[in-house]
């Protein structure tokens, strides 16, 4: 029975579609020309210029600080949430809880941005790093909770019973068996939270204040002000970082960590 | 009856594995034909070639004299019952059965009529509106049968159709399949690894191993007169004995010299000349066992032995005995188990004996096939 | 006693996330509805008293046109995404295992790549001095004076580009689990390849198709960056209007009013899907999921 080639041709085109713009951008970052397009020779000058832009490094530092705090807090809140959803899945209260976890995923970012902005303005909270962290945790919880929940649902709890049978106390069984087995799932969830926080522009843009510029906000204003070659160089660096992250997450997903979530 | 479905020198390779290796096979119109063999023997590949899911690397397939080797599955008058049934989960029982006729754009009235007939045949009229996942295993199987038969295929291909059912249900479905075959009268090509299914249903069986056919014949022929050690060992259980033809006391009987045992009389229909080494297959139930030395009779072979293991199996008991260096299995049906005053026990000295007609000379023998036979008991750690 | 302890455990495990999301998601969302009925104060804050002027102002044909355009752009982007995602997901799911992992990774990488960067990449190649424009002009396919950037076509193209991975992943997850013997069964019963695909494969992955539609359609309704960067004045969407009210003239109540329109547009397809699926809902992670 011959298989149709059509899906494979489409896949090839889709991959070209995915990677061609990225590839051009990377190539252009080494182009000496100021406007891209025509090749004016290989150059690293945009990277050198990038290193002399203090605003970018401040933004990068802000982004990193925010992302680390957000990852930690949302892992904590998301995991407790997943445990509750899993252990008490028959409770009616958990159905409400689940809806509350699920809904932020289907709300467009701009709505979350405007509603948080209004809430902060109404409550008289000063916009800045703090409000960004609060906002990021709010959309990260749902991702963490669902990734960990997916992991728990695939989890074979008889191994915990086996540990109890072999004499472990409830806490020991949790610490020595459950947590190590959940670790890849937690790592994957953390990675997702981290990436989402680092990458978020729309919500951050709404709730950011003076002195809390993050990298995406910086990139956005560079795009708006036409600093093309610098963004190319910055993008290339970020892409390299992304590729590394994806490789790491692929390793994790080999042990099934990303199943159900991503 | 003429050949209806015919394979001519068909070969198929998957990567490093030669799944089917130059097989030729002729199946007659209306026949219930089984392809029997262990998993990986190529029987399912044969079926998939017949269905059109695989194209053979070499060879041809004919249906009613027309070559169909390269015809896509949707253009073959052949339908399949899949091992997992492959019922469409999003369609009701009725729509599953109607699928083929709907694709063929038959008039609605005709489709309705045919579906009703099929539902009656499989006795699921009251389940017609249900989705397949609400049905039991046996019901699903019947839907799969109806879905295939409604297209009135020239050949119905059945890929281990009973494998997913439990024992009792399997026995019931066996009878049903047999009845359906009698009613519709079309050709069945049945693939299975279960010898009892093949034995009880088929007109003829082809035993396959490693991509080749070892033997084709009626069930009794295959069991009673296996051509090779593989057939003897795969179908039922057996004892292998190696010996040299010594002489011919009678035209059709030879005396066989077996190391460590008294000479044995064997039926030699194959006219193997004196001095040739041969292998003998003796079915365990053909060997008798007793405490006392049996009366000598013409063509009776009797050997003293020691019982090494007794395995109670319900209707029968299996004894492992050692005779010289040979270990033999003997199956005994018991009529009065509890009333047997002198039951044979472990370590008893016994006699085992069989008629010369029951030792069957094999045309082909491979050492590897010995592994297919039940292994004699071993002490723990002896393995 | 045991029951009480269980209750307690449930309470302490649920409380943190429940409290957080109530405070930072539920209440703010409700606030949008309330503040839309407050007047704006001249300093960019929220005034006192109540007014329906903002909501009435939404009947402005300018806004209606933009709402309609938002729906239309989202619809087209979703349709294109599905047309590309179904064959791709199918091909990836049916590829031999080693190649499947590679393909899957190639599909996932853009998923993790910065959204802004991916939009920016298109801006620079669609640019009048960019590669695509030059190639097309060279091949004589477009007029040198034509504009590839800053129009509706560019917005749809880039929306498809950014959301396609989110459409592929849930469909792939379903296609990977799909029992392909069903396609063989359909062929066996006389179906041509495309008939088998349409009558058996597509119904078999229906749930994932719905997910894919939602993860593309809903975020594109709220699209803001894409029309902002590659669109022009003629391709503004609701998201741009909301952002303009916030960042340009700082009229938060009007931004709230526009958000209500957006919320209604988002709820419509969601409620439609829920109604279709009836009582099937149960606690389980979404297939594939996706970040909006």
């Amino acid at each position: 029975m011959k298989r149709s080639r059509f899906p494979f041709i489409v896949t090839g085109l889709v991959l070209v579609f995915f990677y061609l713009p990225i590839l051009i951008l990377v190539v252009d970052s080494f182009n000496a020309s100021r406007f891209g397009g025509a090749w004016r020779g290989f150059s690293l000058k945009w990277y050198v210029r990038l290193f002399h832009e203090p605003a970018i490094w401040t933004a990068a530092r802000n982004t990193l600080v925010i992302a680390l705090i957000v990852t930690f807090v949302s892992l904590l809140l998301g995991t407790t949430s997943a445990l509750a959803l899993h252990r008490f899945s028959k409770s009616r209260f958990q159905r409400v809880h689940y809806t509350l976890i699920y809904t932020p995923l289907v709300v467009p970012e701009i709505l979350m941005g405007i509603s948080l902005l209004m809430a902060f303005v109404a409550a008289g909270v000063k916009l800045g790093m703090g409000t960004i962290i609060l906002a990021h945790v709010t959309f990260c919880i749902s991702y963490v909770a669902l990734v960990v929940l997916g992991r728990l649902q695939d989890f074979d709890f008889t191994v915990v019973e086996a540990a109890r049978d072999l004499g472990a106390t409830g806490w020991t069984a949790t610490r020595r068996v459950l947590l190590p087995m959940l670790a890849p799932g937690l790592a994957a969830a953390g990675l997702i939270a981290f990436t989402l926080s680092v990458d978020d522009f729309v919500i951050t843009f709404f709730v950011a204040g003076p002195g809390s510029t993050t990298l995406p906000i910086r990139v956005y204003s560079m795009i708006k002000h036409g600093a093309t070659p610098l963004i190319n160089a910055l993008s290339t660096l970020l892409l390299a970082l992304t590729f590394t992250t994806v490789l790491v997450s692929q390793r994790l997903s080999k042990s099934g960590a990303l199943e159900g979530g991503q | 009856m003429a050949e209806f479905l015919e394979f001519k020198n068909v070969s198929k390779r998957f990567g490093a594995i030669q799944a089917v290796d130059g097989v030729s096979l002729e199946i007659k119109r209306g026949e219930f034909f089984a392809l029997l063999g262990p998993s990986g023997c190529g029987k399912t590949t044969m079926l998939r070639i017949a269905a059109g899911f695989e194209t053979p690397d070499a060879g041809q397939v004919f249906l009613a004299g027309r070559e169909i080797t390269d015809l896509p599955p949707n253009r073959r008058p052949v339908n399949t019952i899949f091992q997992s049934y492959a019922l469409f989960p999003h369609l009701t029982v009725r729509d599953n059965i109607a699928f083929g006729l709907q694709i063929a754009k038959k008039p609605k009235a005709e489709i309705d009529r045919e579906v009703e007939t099929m539902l009656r045949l499989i006795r699921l009229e009251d389940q017609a509106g249900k989705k397949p996942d609400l049905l039991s295993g046996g019901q699903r199987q019947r839907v799969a049968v109806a879905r295939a038969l409604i297209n009135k295929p020239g050949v119905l291909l059945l890929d281990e159709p009973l494998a997913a059912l439990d024992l009792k249900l399997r026995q019931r479905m066996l009878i049903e399949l047999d009845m359906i075959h009698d009613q519709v009268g079309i050709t069945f090509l049945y693939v299975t690894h279960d010898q009892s299914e093949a034995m009880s249903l088929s007109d003829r069986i082809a035993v396959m191993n490693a991509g080749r056919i070892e033997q084709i014949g009626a069930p009794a022929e295959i069991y009673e007169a296996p051509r090779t050690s593989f057939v003897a060992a795969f179908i039922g259980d057996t004892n292998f004995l190696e010996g040299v033809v010594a002489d011919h006391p009678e035209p059709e009987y030879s005396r066989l010299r077996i190391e460590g045992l008294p000479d044995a009389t064997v039926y030699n229909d194959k006219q193997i000349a004196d001095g040739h080494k041969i292998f003998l297959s003796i079915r365990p139930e053909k060997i008798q066992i007793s405490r006392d030395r049996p009366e000598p009779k013409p063509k009776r072979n009797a050997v003293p032995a020691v019982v090494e293991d007794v395995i109670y199996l319900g209707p029968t008991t299996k004894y492992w005995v050692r005779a010289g260096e040979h270990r033999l299995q003997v199956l005994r049906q018991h009529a009065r188990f509890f009333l047997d005053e002198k039951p044979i026990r472990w370590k008893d000295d016994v006699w085992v004996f069989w008629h010369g007609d029951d030792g069957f000379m094999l045309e082909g023998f491979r050492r590897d096939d010995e592994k297919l036979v039940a292994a004699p008991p071993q002490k723990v750690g002896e393995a | 006693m045991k029951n009480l302890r269980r209750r307690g455990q449930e309470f302490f495990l649920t409380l943190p996330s429940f409290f957080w999301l109530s405070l930072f998601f539920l209440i703010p969302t409700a606030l949008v509805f309330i503040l839309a009925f407050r007047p704006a104060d001249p300093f960019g804050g929220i005034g006192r008293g109540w007014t329906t002027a903002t909501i009435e102002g939404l009947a402005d044909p300018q806004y209606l046109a933009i709402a309609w355009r938002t729906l239309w752009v989202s619809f087209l982007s979703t349709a294109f995404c599905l047309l590309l995602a179904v064959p791709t997901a199918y091909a990836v799911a049916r590829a031999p295992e080693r190649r499947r992992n590679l393909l899957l990774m190639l599909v996932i990488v853009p998923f993790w790549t910065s959204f802004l960067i991916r939009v920016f990449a298109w801006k620079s190649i669609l640019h009048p001095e960019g590669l695509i424009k030059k190639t097309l002009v060279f091949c004589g396919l477009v007029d040198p004076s034509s504009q590839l950037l800053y129009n509706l076509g560019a917005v749809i193209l880039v929306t498809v580009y950014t959301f396609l991975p989110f459409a592929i992943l849930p469909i792939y997850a379903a296609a990977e689990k799909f029992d392909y013997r069903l396609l063989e069964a359909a062929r066996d019963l006389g179906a041509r390849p495309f008939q088998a695909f349409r009558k058996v494969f597509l119904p078999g992955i229906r749930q994932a198709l719905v997910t894919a539609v939602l993860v593309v359609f809903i975020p594109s309704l709220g699209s803001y960056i894409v029309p902002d960067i590659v669109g022009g004045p003629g391709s503004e969407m609701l998201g741009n209007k909301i952002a303009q009210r916030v960042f340009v003239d700082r009229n938060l109540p009007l931004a709230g009013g526009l958000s209500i329109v957006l919320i209604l547009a988002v709820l419509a397809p969601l409620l439609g899907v829920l109604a279709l699926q009836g009582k099937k809902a149960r606690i389980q992670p979404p297939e594939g999921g996706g970040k909006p």
Side-chain angles (χ1 to χ4, degrees):
Chain A
M1 196 162 76
K2 285 205 183 74
R3 288 228 199 117
S4 166
R5 302 183 93 86
F6 176 73
F8 292 92
I9 295 168
V10 174
T11 309
L13 292 176
V14 162
L15 289 179
V16 171
F17 178 54
F18 274 170
Y19 286 95
L20 193 65
I22 296 179
L23 197 71
I24 291 171
L25 183 145
V26 171
V27 170
D28 250 355
S29 76
F30 298 105
N31 189 349
S33 157
R34 188 171 163 72
F35 298 105
W39 182 256
R40 297 244 190 285
F42 180 86
S43 160
L44 287 174
K45 69 176 174 190
W46 307 116
Y47 290 89
V48 177
R49 282 268 289 279
L50 198 62
F51 280 92
H52 293 102
E53 287 274 338
I56 287 174
W57 298 107
T58 318
R61 207 198 55 220
N62 286 346
T63 305
L64 204 63
V65 169
I66 292 168
L68 285 175
I69 298 174
V70 166
T71 305
F72 180 76
V73 178
S74 57
L75 258 183
L76 208 66
L77 294 173
T79 307
T80 51
S81 160
L83 285 171
L85 287 172
H86 184 256
R87 283 204 57 184
F88 309 100
S89 59
K90 288 189 186 70
S91 143
R92 295 185 63 167
F93 180 44
Q94 292 306 323
R95 299 200 78 125
V96 180
H97 184 201
Y98 183 71
T99 311
L100 190 57
I101 291 285
Y102 196 92
T103 320
L105 294 177
V106 294
V107 169
E109 284 182 292
I110 194 161
L111 283 180
M112 203 183 257
I114 182 97
S115 61
L116 279 165
L117 171 67
M118 285 186 167
F120 291 140
V121 169
V125 180
K126 195 166 162 284
L127 299 179
M129 298 267 280
T131 48
I132 295 178
I133 291 170
L134 293 177
H136 284 197
V137 170
T138 308
F139 65 76
C140 285
I141 290 177
S142 306
Y143 288 96
V144 173
L146 289 179
V147 170
V148 178
L149 179 63
R151 197 68 182 145
L152 284 171
Q153 280 170 342
D154 292 340
F155 192 78
D156 177 10
F157 276 89
T158 50
V159 297
V160 177
E161 284 167 13
R164 298 296 300 270
D165 181 64
L166 294 168
T169 61
W171 167 240
T172 314
T174 306
R175 196 170 50 87
R176 301 265 308 255
V177 178
L178 183 65
L179 279 182
M181 288 182 75
L182 273 185
L186 293 178
L191 204 57
I192 289 167
F194 187 85
T195 318
L196 288 174
S197 169
V198 166
D199 191 32
D200 182 74
F201 167 70
V202 176
I203 295 174
T204 315
F205 197 43
F206 277 87
V207 299
S212 62
T213 301
T214 64
L215 210 48
I217 293 182
R218 189 79 227 148
V219 170
Y220 177 77
S221 69
M222 284 162 78
I223 292 174
K224 280 285 165 180
H225 297 114
T228 306
L230 277 187
I231 315 172
N232 285 341
L234 182 59
S235 304
T236 305
L237 290 181
L238 290 176
L239 283 169
L241 204 66
T242 307
F243 272 75
T244 324
T245 317
V246 171
L247 277 177
V248 171
S249 76
Q250 281 295 100
R251 284 282 140 77
L252 290 175
S253 73
K254 285 234 169 75
S255 49
L258 285 176
E259 267 164 37
Q262 287 275 298
Chain B
M1 284 203 286
E3 300 77 47
F4 188 55
L5 178 62
E6 189 180 356
F7 296 85
K8 260 193 186 154
N9 287 316
V10 168
S11 291
K12 178 76 185 176
R13 171 182 282 277
F14 296 108
I17 296 154
Q18 187 73 47
V20 174
D21 191 4
V23 168
S24 294
L25 187 63
E26 289 160 7
I27 297 164
K28 298 187 181 81
R29 187 185 289 273
E31 194 172 26
F32 197 126
F33 192 95
L35 277 173
L36 174 65
S39 63
C41 72
K43 57 188 191 302
T44 299
T45 307
M46 288 285 288
L47 178 127
R48 292 174 60 82
I49 288 171
F53 302 139
E54 308 287 354
T55 314
D57 303 332
Q60 294 160 293
V61 187
F62 295 90
L63 183 69
R66 188 166 69 109
E67 181 169 358
I68 56 165
T69 319
D70 294 314
L71 219 55
N74 48 315
R75 293 177 49 206
R76 294 184 183 208
V78 164
N79 287 113
T80 310
I81 293 175
F82 293 82
Q83 181 170 2
S84 54
Y85 315 138
L87 299 179
F88 304 125
H90 61 291
L91 299 180
T92 60
V93 167
R94 185 187 300 281
D95 289 339
N96 261 285
I97 296 175
F99 192 90
L101 297 183
Q102 282 170 352
I103 291 283
K105 302 225 159 50
K106 288 276 171 12
K108 184 155 187 328
E110 186 190 331
I111 296 178
D112 289 347
R113 202 174 55 238
E114 294 286 322
V115 171
E116 286 312 318
T117 312
M118 275 298 154
L119 282 169
R120 226 172 302 130
L121 178 74
I122 59 168
R123 300 193 316 279
L124 283 179
E125 295 103 316
D126 50 337
Q127 313 283 330
K130 283 191 182 167
K131 295 274 176 73
D133 56 353
L134 293 175
L135 302 182
S136 71
Q139 291 173 329
R140 276 183 224 181
Q141 212 259 346
R142 301 212 295 262
V143 176
V145 171
R147 187 179 70 172
L149 285 179
I150 199 167
N151 307 293
K152 305 206 166 56
V155 182
L156 183 68
L157 307 171
L158 301 98
D159 184 9
E160 306 253 7
L162 305 181
L165 305 178
D166 61 43
L167 183 66
K168 286 277 180 223
L169 198 53
R170 196 149 66 216
Q171 287 166 345
R172 251 194 29 224
M173 294 309 298
L174 271 176
I175 298 168
E176 284 201 22
L177 276 180
D178 208 13
M179 277 167 46
I180 289 172
H181 177 247
D182 289 348
Q183 277 179 38
V184 298
I186 58 174
T187 313
F188 277 39
L189 175 58
Y190 190 101
V191 161
T192 181
H193 71 278
D194 184 312
Q195 34 158 319
S196 64
E197 277 175 26
M199 292 271 181
S200 51
L201 290 170
S202 320
D203 298 317
R204 287 193 303 153
I205 298 174
V207 182
M208 281 192 79
N209 183 32
R212 292 166 184 273
I213 290 180
E214 296 260 338
Q215 187 169 0
I216 303 179
E221 212 177 319
I222 299 260
Y223 185 78
E224 302 292 341
R227 274 185 46 217
T228 63
S229 55
F230 177 80
V231 176
F234 184 73
I235 318 255
D237 219 334
T238 196
N239 297 289
F240 289 124
L241 288 174
E242 183 182 350
V244 177
V245 178
D247 56 1
H248 285 68
E250 285 178 57
E252 295 222 305
Y253 290 88
S254 300
R255 208 158 52 203
L256 200 63
R257 189 151 295 148
I258 303 167
E259 216 180 290
L261 289 183
D263 285 357
T265 306
V266 289
Y267 179 60
N268 185 355
D269 63 328
K270 298 187 180 80
Q271 299 300 324
I272 291 168
D274 295 354
H276 270 85
K277 189 167 97 171
I278 60 108
F279 287 87
L280 206 59
S281 155
I282 316 169
R283 299 285 183 192
E285 75 278 8
K286 302 277 164 63
I287 305 180
Q288 289 173 280
I289 185 167
S290 77
R291 291 177 165 284
D292 309 314
R293 179 171 195 154
E295 249 176 83
K297 277 189 186 171
K299 303 188 188 80
R300 169 175 279 178
N301 302 301
V303 178
V306 181
V307 176
E308 288 195 324
D309 201 8
V310 180
I311 306 160
Y312 174 74
L313 298 169
T316 55
T317 297
K318 183 187 264 189
Y319 303 91
W320 277 99
V321 301
R322 182 187 288 276
E325 284 307 299
H326 301 274
R327 298 169 107 178
L328 299 174
Q329 43 179 333
V330 177
L331 207 58
R332 182 193 195 188
Q333 183 131 24
H334 21 70
R336 295 165 303 163
F337 184 77
F338 287 114
L339 299 177
D340 197 343
E341 282 167 23
K342 292 198 301 182
I344 294 168
R345 295 182 201 280
W346 185 48
K347 285 187 174 168
D348 283 355
D349 286 313
V350 292
W351 284 84
V352 293
F353 52 102
W354 69 93
H355 190 273
D357 285 347
D358 289 329
F360 197 84
M361 286 188 184
L362 299 173
E363 285 169 42
F365 184 85
R366 276 181 307 256
R367 280 283 166 215
D368 269 0
D369 295 333
E370 283 182 308
K371 290 180 193 139
L372 296 171
V373 185
Q378 287 177 326
K379 291 195 191 78
V380 173
E382 199 183 311
Chain C
M1 191 59 204
K2 196 167 180 195
N3 200 16
L4 206 68
R5 227 181 93 192
R6 217 180 132 78
R7 280 281 165 107
Q9 264 186 355
E10 182 179 1
F11 181 75
F12 283 111
L13 282 176
T14 313
L15 186 70
S17 50
F18 204 91
F19 176 74
W20 188 287
L21 289 176
S22 302
L23 193 61
F24 295 110
F25 176 67
L26 275 190
I27 295 176
T29 308
L31 218 55
V32 171
F33 282 85
I34 297 168
L35 295 189
F37 294 92
R38 282 290 181 88
D41 81 7
F43 310 106
I46 293 148
R48 298 189 172 278
W50 301 94
T51 171
T52 54
T54 313
I55 299 296
E56 284 157 15
L58 291 178
D60 184 337
Q62 181 210 349
Y63 288 130
L64 286 179
I66 283 178
W68 177 246
R69 184 189 297 143
T70 304
L71 282 172
W72 182 235
V73 167
S74 304
F75 171 77
L76 282 181
S77 307
T78 310
F80 285 126
C81 274
L82 277 194
L83 282 178
L84 292 173
V86 172
T88 305
Y90 176 88
V92 176
R94 298 224 71 180
E97 186 158 351
R98 283 183 69 100
R99 200 183 323 153
R100 184 168 63 211
N101 288 336
L102 177 70
L103 285 173
L104 191 60
M105 180 153 141
L106 287 174
V107 172
I108 287 177
V109 168
F111 187 96
W112 290 85
T113 310
S114 164
F115 192 83
L116 271 177
I117 290 177
R118 284 188 292 151
V119 178
F120 169 73
W122 276 102
K123 180 181 170 148
S124 55
I125 57 172
L126 289 176
H127 198 268
E129 296 296 314
L131 191 77
I132 290 203
K133 172 75 179 290
K134 283 187 170 172
T135 313
L136 290 177
V137 170
F138 183 78
C139 299
L141 288 170
V142 300
D143 190 74
S145 64
S146 70
Q147 179 65 280
L148 295 177
L149 208 51
Y150 311 126
N151 57 36
L152 216 52
V155 173
I156 293 171
L157 175 78
V158 179
T159 306
V160 171
Y161 180 73
T162 48
F163 289 136
L164 188 52
F166 305 106
I168 293 175
L169 287 180
I171 298 178
Y172 165 77
E176 203 228 314
K177 289 193 200 101
F178 184 79
D179 179 2
Y180 288 95
R181 281 170 302 192
L182 295 178
L183 286 189
E184 283 185 350
R187 294 294 304 279
D188 187 64
L189 294 166
R192 289 189 306 275
F194 187 70
Q195 275 180 314
F197 180 80
R198 193 169 55 85
K199 291 193 163 230
V200 177
F201 182 69
L202 288 186
I205 59 162
R206 204 187 54 212
Q207 187 68 44
L209 293 177
V210 171
T211 308
V213 166
L214 290 183
V215 298
V216 176
F217 190 70
I218 291 178
S220 47
L221 284 175
S223 231
Y224 158 55
I225 302 182
V226 175
D228 187 56
I229 294 179
V230 300
S235 47
E236 284 182 325
M237 292 167 69
L238 272 176
N240 301 81
K241 284 292 156 201
I242 295 174
Q244 282 167 18
R245 297 294 82 83
V246 172
F247 300 114
V248 180
D249 44 53
R250 200 68 182 179
N251 185 341
L252 289 184
L254 185 49
L258 288 166
S259 303
I260 293 173
V261 177
L262 183 52
I263 289 173
L264 294 179
V266 168
L267 279 180
L270 266 186
L271 292 179
V273 167
L274 284 181
L276 278 177
Q277 295 185 336
K279 294 148 205 144
K280 266 194 199 162
R282 97 192 152 81
I283 292 185
Q284 60 176 5
E287 274 177 277
K291 53 179 184 180

